[in-house]
Amino acid sequence: MISKTRSIFRGTLVTIAILLLLICLIIPWALNIWLLPTIGEQFGVKYSASNIWLNPITGTVTIEKGIIKQQQSPFFKWHELRADISMRQLLNRRIVIEQIAVIEPALWLQRDKQNVWNFESLTLPDNKDAETTDQKTIDFAIQEAFIKDGHIYYGAYQNDAPVNYQLNDINFLLENLTSDFSQSFKTKLDLAAASDGLLSWQGETALIPLLVKGEAAIQQINIPAILQLLPLTLPVNLKQGELREFKTEIEVKKQQKNLAVSLEKIVIGLDKLDLKLAKKEQAKLTVDNFTLNDGSFKWPANQLNLGKWQIENIVWRGKLDQQRQLNWVTAFQTKEETQPKNNTLKDTTKESTTKLWQISWHQGAITNSQLSLNDLSIQPEANHQLTLAEVSAKAWNNQKKQPLQINAKGQLAAGGKFKLSSDIHLNPLQLETEAELDEFLVDPYQRYWQPFLAAELQGAIKTKVKAKWQPDNETEPYQMAGDFQWDNWLLKETKTNKLIGQGKQLSLQGISLLPNKLNITAIALNSPKVFLQREPEQQWNFSPLLPQANKAQAKTNSNQTTSQQNDTKPWEWFIGAIEIKEGDLDFRDETVTPVAELNLSKIFGKIKQLSSEEKKSNLQLSALIADSDLKIEGELIPLNPRKLASIKFAANNMSLPIFSSYAAKYLGYPIKRGKLGATLYYNVKDFSLQSDNKVTLNKLKLGNKTASKEAVDAPVKLALALLEDSKGKIALDVPVKGDFSKPDVKYGQLVVDAVLKIFKSIAASPFNLLGGLVDFSGTDVNLIKFKPGSYELPKTEQEKLVAIIKLLNKRPNLILEVEGQFDTEQDKPGLAQQTILDNIKKDLGEIESISDKQKKRWLMAQLDKEGIITNDSMTIEFLTRLYTGTVKVKNNSLTSLAKRRAKVVSEYIVRQGNINKERIYTLDVKDIKEKVKGDVSTVLTINAP
């Protein structure tokens, strides 16, 4: 019995040993030959391993050097895989792995040029009822799995270029994975990147449909290497950058044939970023430090939310192209690629559109940064740099109509501080900004206004403006409003480098600028100094400042059609007031010889209400010119003074030699000395001119006559001498009238004509002044009449000479020319009679004491001597005529008589009037050609020295 019992026990032990042996041999064989390949087929992969061991006591299966392939390419392999299998569950046709460990595994992740992952080809079985499928799904569960010292090899394509990356030291933990792939299982991961970065993960995963959710963290990793792993093409390239910290909640799920990636609650710390646009030679961005809190990323939804971010020490370089498009803006705008239709193509040809990225943030800040903009829209191109002390960006989303709101302050490298608050709309591009500039130097920006203003500008600008720029709006691309102040301004003409103007301050208040429309409330110029020069070619020195205007004028002169000129909309402008304080004007005129130079100093003035419309403006201006006060006041239409103007010009004690060059050219005499006082009233209404001009000249002295061909044909010196009183004062009243409806009528010429008319009238009849000057009402005052043959000055003629003396005393600069005359027909008989009287006086004594009887007897005696028979019946008159015929008068006696008459007149004026004899000139005598019966005149002529 004992023996039989022992036999049964031995048999049982042998049976158990055989069964254990079979289990150790058959189960590994079944796993390796049947079960695992079958599972692999269900997943669409091929499985192989070198050895499989089974511990029948613990249920531990060990698979050494296993490998899973996809189309002959490795997908997953391991050095040792150890699984603790529940034997009891295995007998129930259910695989339950209580724990699985994978030692030194390696996983290959591949993404081809079509952005298809290699694991997307895995076939995951659906959980269907047994009645609806021919093949029953294997039921399995893994309670716990971990990986130690694993590796992941990543391969992909980006822009057709292969990208490879490696993750090392992977430690992975998985819990509760079952054959019900719709149930989630937990995972935990930490690893080291190829660039020594540390990554960690903790989350849950479901395989059908694919869903991965969890939290990830990265420390210290190279960013350019990571960006190569992204399954999308960004419009930027990152050359350098370190990820200091990264935390996020990740969700990856399968949508149709693509994967959707979502990252939430992103926390990022970046160092030393070096970013540039993908396009060659595009903009560049470097950042010392970047922090981000609560960001998000969704792909392929193309959404990036930066949450709250901050940048320290950013350096940005951008470009503005020839169309003034900013490359950083256009890089993120929608791109549409339309395939052209062709008859050979199918009707299914469609348009393909690249989806616009949605970029947003909650709040942003930039501190201590440098920005550089390379502007290609002008030639030669310009580079601008500025330092941002602080920038803050409010919440923004580029796909909403919400603008990008930025506040900033900083300093320009070229000089100047700034503050701005901007709203930027990207599509279409539109900029609204409030800006403040202080100590902004204009020198470095010369090229921007050179096409419109050929000038060099200097000075510092202070301004506060609101501006709007919308380049896609053809009717109103820009708007601007604000105030402007330009300190220590300077303006030079570019070509000659000649100074045009400068000043202490130029300020514009209440500016409103629109296309073809400008309004300014007030303009103030403090201590301006302007230099005006008229070139010998009649061109002003400021003419080259406006090259566009000069070109337009050249086109007009070359008979271009007016229709082209009318295409340009005229500018509308309004200026409330222009005020000048302590101004100075230097004027140089090279059209006259010698060159004329004038200076107006201490200019104060105000002009109110100026506009492009024909509206009335008020004018008040005062200045010093040649130490004289000049005042101008009144009202006018600035753009059409021929229609309406009422202006008063007043000057006092102005030095006249400053106008000497003009006097030499137009009057024929330079001015050596003199003072001017003038009150001019310029009145125009409805193109009708009524101008009253009162001019006073003091101590005027002209130089020698010039050879100017443009000098007026008028006795200028004589007229001025006739007008100058004993105190050296000349008073002129020059009324001017004209019809300005005629375009060829010019005010300056009207004034010149009026003055010349006065000059000629005075010079033609100088003695007409006697009536007003010496209270003499007689006529022919310039003709001193003598009896024929006599040089005795009659009393009536003495009265004339008294008037002449008064005139000479009142006009000390005048000279008197005395021209003695004789009349042969009258003066010969007269001289004969005078000879008879002289002989009677000699023989008989004084004429008054001689009786008629004595005189008759003497005449008869004289006639008897001549052989002429007489008688007592003849009268004295008859006897006188007979004797006169016998007296012979020589021709030189007539010239002597005329000279004597001139001498008598000259001596009377010198003696009676105490007139300097140097002012009396005796001219050559002459015979009167036009015979007039009566007295013979000596002619007096008033003249200038």
Side-chain angles (χ1 to χ4, degrees):
M1 188 69 181
I2 295 173
S3 140
K4 185 177 182 180
T5 302
R6 289 179 178 176
S7 298
I8 294 172
F9 180 73
R10 288 192 188 97
T12 301
L13 291 176
V14 171
T15 302
I16 292 172
I18 293 172
L19 289 175
L20 290 175
L21 180 61
L22 290 174
I23 290 172
C24 293
L25 295 176
I26 294 174
I27 291 178
W29 175 84
L31 287 174
N32 197 30
I33 300 301
W34 168 72
L35 181 59
L36 293 179
T38 301
I39 295 175
E41 289 178 1
Q42 291 185 9
F43 281 89
V45 297
K46 293 182 179 181
Y47 157 81
S48 65
S50 60
N51 294 304
I52 296 181
W53 305 96
L54 173 63
N55 186 332
I57 298 174
T58 62
T60 301
V61 176
T62 302
I63 304 175
E64 296 180 346
K65 297 181 180 180
I67 184 168
I68 297 174
K69 295 183 178 180
Q70 287 180 304
Q71 299 178 354
Q72 305 304 319
S73 297
F75 175 71
F76 183 67
K77 73 175 183 178
W78 61 90
H79 177 73
E80 177 181 303
L81 188 152
R82 184 174 66 251
D84 294 335
I85 303 174
S86 173
M87 302 302 293
R88 181 172 58 85
Q89 295 292 341
L90 185 62
L91 295 175
N92 295 329
R93 295 180 55 85
R94 185 170 183 265
I95 300 176
V96 176
I97 301 176
E98 295 175 351
Q99 186 183 69
I100 184 171
V102 184
I103 310 301
E104 296 183 13
L107 174 66
W108 281 265
L109 297 179
Q110 303 291 329
R111 180 167 55 87
D112 60 21
K113 294 182 179 180
Q114 286 72 39
N115 288 331
V116 178
W117 293 89
N118 57 344
F119 56 77
E120 292 187 50
S121 63
L122 295 178
T123 304
L124 298 179
D126 294 332
N127 289 324
K128 297 182 180 181
D129 295 336
E131 297 178 353
T132 61
T133 180
D134 296 334
Q135 183 176 358
K136 190 174 181 180
T137 305
I138 297 176
D139 187 12
F140 71 92
I142 300 176
Q143 295 178 354
E144 182 183 80
F146 66 88
I147 296 174
K148 184 178 180 181
D149 297 332
H151 302 273
I152 295 178
Y153 301 95
Y154 174 85
Y157 285 90
Q158 193 172 72
N159 296 328
D160 294 330
V163 176
N164 295 291
Y165 196 76
Q166 184 175 344
L167 300 175
N168 302 316
D169 300 329
I170 300 174
N171 295 299
F172 176 74
L173 175 64
L174 180 148
E175 296 178 346
N176 300 322
L177 173 64
T178 69
S179 57
D180 185 0
F181 296 124
S182 63
Q183 297 296 318
S184 63
F185 55 91
K186 296 182 180 180
T187 55
K188 188 176 181 181
L189 172 71
D190 62 80
L191 55 86
S195 56
D196 298 329
L198 299 178
L199 293 84
S200 64
W201 158 265
Q202 183 173 343
E204 296 183 358
T205 304
L207 298 178
I208 299 180
L210 180 63
L211 177 63
V212 181
K213 294 179 67 175
E215 296 179 359
I218 303 176
Q219 290 184 346
Q220 203 67 33
I221 197 168
N222 182 267
I223 302 175
I226 296 296
L227 288 180
Q228 295 181 80
L229 312 182
L230 294 177
L232 71 160
T233 301
L234 294 177
V236 293
N237 287 334
L238 187 62
K239 182 179 178 181
Q240 179 182 334
E242 295 294 329
L243 181 63
R244 180 179 69 254
E245 178 186 13
F246 175 80
K247 295 179 181 179
T248 186
E249 294 181 359
I250 297 177
E251 179 179 287
V252 180
K253 59 184 177 179
K254 189 171 183 179
Q255 292 180 339
Q256 296 179 354
K257 295 183 178 180
N258 297 319
L259 287 177
V261 180
S262 175
L263 282 69
E264 301 291 341
K265 297 183 180 181
I266 301 174
V267 176
I268 296 179
L270 303 177
D271 293 326
K272 298 180 180 179
L273 288 177
D274 189 351
L275 183 71
K276 66 179 180 179
L277 289 181
K279 189 176 180 180
K280 187 179 180 181
E281 298 180 357
Q282 285 280 17
K284 185 177 181 180
L285 178 71
T286 61
V287 177
D288 276 3
N289 181 275
F290 173 81
T291 58
L292 169 65
N293 293 317
D294 197 25
S296 64
F297 170 85
K298 294 182 180 180
W299 179 84
N302 287 12
Q303 294 182 11
L304 176 63
N305 178 25
L306 298 181
K308 183 178 180 180
W309 54 269
Q310 181 173 345
I311 299 176
E312 296 179 10
N313 195 15
I314 182 174
V315 178
W316 175 86
R317 289 206 307 263
K319 286 185 180 180
L320 200 65
D321 62 20
Q322 287 79 359
Q323 288 72 40
R324 294 193 177 273
Q325 293 288 327
L326 189 62
N327 49 13
W328 280 91
V329 173
T330 56
F332 289 95
Q333 289 181 344
T334 303
K335 300 177 182 179
E336 295 186 356
E337 298 178 358
T338 303
Q339 185 175 359
K341 292 185 178 182
N342 191 304
N343 294 333
T344 61
L345 298 177
K346 296 182 180 180
D347 294 336
T348 57
T349 303
K350 296 182 179 180
E351 295 182 355
S352 62
T353 304
T354 301
K355 188 175 181 180
L356 174 67
W357 270 84
Q358 177 180 320
I359 302 175
S360 62
W361 59 68
H362 302 311
Q363 183 180 350
I366 301 174
T367 58
N368 191 27
S369 298
Q370 306 289 326
L371 273 68
S372 176
L373 177 65
N374 193 18
D375 190 351
L376 305 180
S377 64
I378 62 171
Q379 294 297 326
E381 62 188 55
N383 184 267
H384 307 290
Q385 297 181 358
L386 59 88
T387 299
L388 288 172
E390 180 181 342
V391 178
S392 62
K394 296 182 180 180
W396 176 68
N397 189 320
N398 71 324
Q399 285 193 343
K400 297 181 180 180
K401 293 185 178 180
Q402 169 190 13
L404 171 58
Q405 296 179 310
I406 296 178
N407 296 316
K409 64 180 181 180
Q411 187 167 349
L412 298 167
K417 301 176 182 178
F418 69 89
K419 292 181 181 179
L420 62 86
S421 176
S422 299
D423 291 353
I424 304 173
H425 302 261
L426 295 182
N427 199 1
L429 181 60
Q430 177 177 310
L431 171 65
E432 298 179 22
T433 185
E434 294 184 18
E436 293 184 37
L437 286 177
D438 192 11
E439 300 177 3
F440 174 77
L441 301 181
V442 300
D443 309 43
Y445 304 93
Q446 306 286 339
R447 283 169 284 182
Y448 285 93
W449 55 73
Q450 286 293 337
F452 316 101
L453 184 65
E456 176 188 346
L457 304 181
Q458 296 180 15
I461 289 176
K462 181 178 182 180
T463 183
K464 186 175 183 180
V465 298
K466 292 183 178 180
K468 184 176 182 180
W469 179 53
Q470 40 191 355
D472 293 338
N473 189 334
E474 296 182 358
T475 59
E476 201 168 276
Y478 59 86
Q479 301 176 23
M480 189 183 74
D483 300 326
F484 174 88
Q485 180 177 308
W486 188 2
D487 295 328
N488 300 316
W489 63 272
L490 183 143
L491 172 65
K492 287 183 179 181
E493 195 269 312
T494 303
K495 186 175 181 181
T496 61
N497 202 33
K498 290 183 178 179
L499 185 62
I500 302 296
Q502 62 184 18
K504 184 177 181 180
Q505 186 180 92
L506 168 64
S507 65
L508 284 73
Q509 302 293 323
I511 303 171
S512 176
L513 177 63
L514 296 171
N516 299 98
K517 190 172 184 179
L518 172 64
N519 288 341
I520 302 175
T521 302
I523 298 177
L525 292 97
N526 190 355
S527 302
K529 187 169 185 178
V530 179
F531 301 88
L532 291 182
Q533 182 170 320
R534 199 178 182 192
E535 310 290 346
E537 299 80 11
Q538 305 291 331
Q539 185 181 20
W540 291 96
N541 60 336
F542 55 80
S543 297
L545 294 178
L546 303 173
Q548 298 295 335
N550 295 336
K551 290 179 182 179
Q553 184 64 36
K555 288 183 179 180
T556 303
N557 295 338
S558 60
N559 298 322
Q560 293 289 327
T561 58
T562 57
S563 61
Q564 294 178 345
Q565 300 169 11
N566 294 333
D567 289 342
T568 302
K569 184 180 178 181
W571 271 83
E572 298 178 14
W573 54 271
F574 173 82
I575 302 174
I578 299 178
E579 186 174 5
I580 302 173
K581 297 180 181 179
E582 200 75 30
D584 194 277
L585 171 64
D586 281 344
F587 173 70
R588 178 181 174 89
D589 191 350
E590 296 182 354
T591 64
V592 294
T593 302
V595 173
E597 294 183 333
L598 306 177
N599 174 261
L600 272 74
S601 61
K602 295 186 178 180
I603 303 173
F604 292 85
K606 199 168 188 178
I607 306 174
K608 298 181 179 179
Q609 307 292 328
L610 287 89
S611 74
S612 56
E613 300 179 1
E614 291 189 357
K615 291 185 177 181
K616 185 169 59 178
S617 300
N618 293 319
L619 169 66
Q620 288 185 338
L621 181 68
S622 65
L624 286 180
I625 177 171
D627 298 325
S628 170
D629 292 328
L630 173 66
K631 293 185 178 181
I632 304 173
E633 58 184 12
E635 58 184 21
L636 76 161
I637 298 177
L639 296 183
N640 194 357
R642 288 170 167 255
K643 186 176 182 180
L644 176 65
S646 179
I647 302 177
K648 176 184 176 182
F649 299 85
N652 183 33
N653 203 35
M654 184 186 301
S655 180
L656 282 172
I658 61 175
F659 304 107
S660 180
S661 298
Y662 297 104
K665 182 175 181 178
Y666 298 110
L667 295 181
Y669 298 93
I671 299 175
K672 288 190 174 182
R673 73 158 187 253
K675 297 284 187 176
L676 169 69
T679 303
L680 313 178
Y681 295 92
Y682 178 93
N683 296 284
V684 179
K685 186 175 181 180
D686 296 329
F687 302 99
S688 178
L689 170 67
Q690 296 284 341
S691 182
D692 184 14
N693 306 292
K694 299 183 183 299
V695 179
T696 301
L697 306 174
N698 288 309
K699 304 296 182 181
L700 177 65
K701 183 177 181 180
L702 300 180
N704 297 326
K705 187 172 180 61
T706 65
S708 174
K709 296 181 180 179
E710 298 182 54
V712 298
D713 183 16
V716 175
K717 268 197 169 183
L718 173 59
L720 293 174
L722 286 168
L723 293 170
E724 187 175 13
D725 62 16
S726 59
K727 295 181 180 180
K729 181 179 178 180
I730 298 174
L732 284 175
D733 191 352
V734 186
V736 179
K737 296 182 179 181
D739 183 5
F740 277 166
S741 63
K742 300 176 181 179
D744 57 339
V745 175
K746 297 181 179 179
Y747 177 72
Q749 189 60 48
L750 291 175
V751 173
V752 171
D753 292 344
V755 173
L756 291 180
K757 184 178 180 180
I758 294 174
F759 281 8
K760 290 181 178 180
S761 175
I762 293 173
S765 302
F767 291 99
N768 289 340
L769 291 175
L770 289 176
L773 293 176
V774 298
D775 193 22
F776 182 80
S777 58
T779 59
D780 298 333
V781 68
N782 63 320
L783 300 178
I784 306 302
K785 298 179 179 180
F786 291 88
K787 295 297 181 179
S790 174
Y791 56 84
E792 184 178 348
L793 188 63
K795 286 188 176 181
T796 56
E797 304 309 302
Q798 292 178 16
E799 293 178 2
K800 293 182 181 180
L801 291 180
V802 170
I804 295 296
I805 291 171
K806 291 181 180 180
L807 175 63
L808 293 175
N809 284 325
K810 288 182 177 291
R811 297 291 184 263
N813 288 333
L814 288 176
I815 63 172
L816 182 67
E817 296 175 346
V818 182
E819 183 182 49
Q821 296 186 130
F822 62 89
D823 185 343
T824 302
E825 295 182 0
Q826 294 189 90
D827 278 333
K828 272 192 175 184
L831 282 175
Q833 292 178 7
Q834 188 63 43
T835 301
I836 294 172
L837 291 174
D838 291 341
N839 290 335
I840 292 174
K841 184 178 180 181
K842 180 180 178 182
D843 294 340
L844 301 178
E846 295 296 330
I847 300 299
E848 293 81 4
S849 61
I850 300 174
S851 63
D852 290 342
K853 185 176 181 180
Q854 290 176 318
K855 186 176 180 179
K856 183 176 182 180
R857 188 177 298 130
W858 186 86
L859 288 171
M860 293 176 66
Q862 299 301 320
L863 290 171
D864 287 340
K865 292 179 181 180
E866 297 292 334
I868 298 174
I869 299 174
T870 59
N871 55 53
D872 291 336
S873 62
M874 296 179 179
T875 62
I876 294 177
E877 288 77 10
F878 181 75
L879 293 173
T880 301
R881 286 197 298 273
L882 288 175
Y883 184 53
T884 300
T886 64
V887 176
K888 295 181 178 180
V889 178
K890 298 180 180 178
N891 291 333
N892 60 356
S893 297
L894 293 173
T895 57
S896 297
L897 176 63
K899 290 180 180 180
R900 189 62 186 269
R901 288 170 174 169
K903 184 177 181 182
V904 169
V905 171
S906 300
E907 289 177 349
Y908 185 90
I909 293 173
V910 171
R911 183 178 64 256
Q912 296 297 327
N914 196 25
I915 301 298
N916 190 339
K917 63 180 180 179
E918 300 296 331
R919 297 176 61 192
I920 310 298
Y921 292 84
T922 303
L923 306 181
D924 292 339
V925 299
K926 69 176 182 178
D927 186 5
I928 299 176
K929 301 299 181 181
E930 297 180 359
K931 307 301 181 181
V932 180
K933 294 296 182 178
D935 296 334
V936 180
S937 300
T938 293
V939 180
L940 303 182
T941 303
I942 296 295
N943 214 333

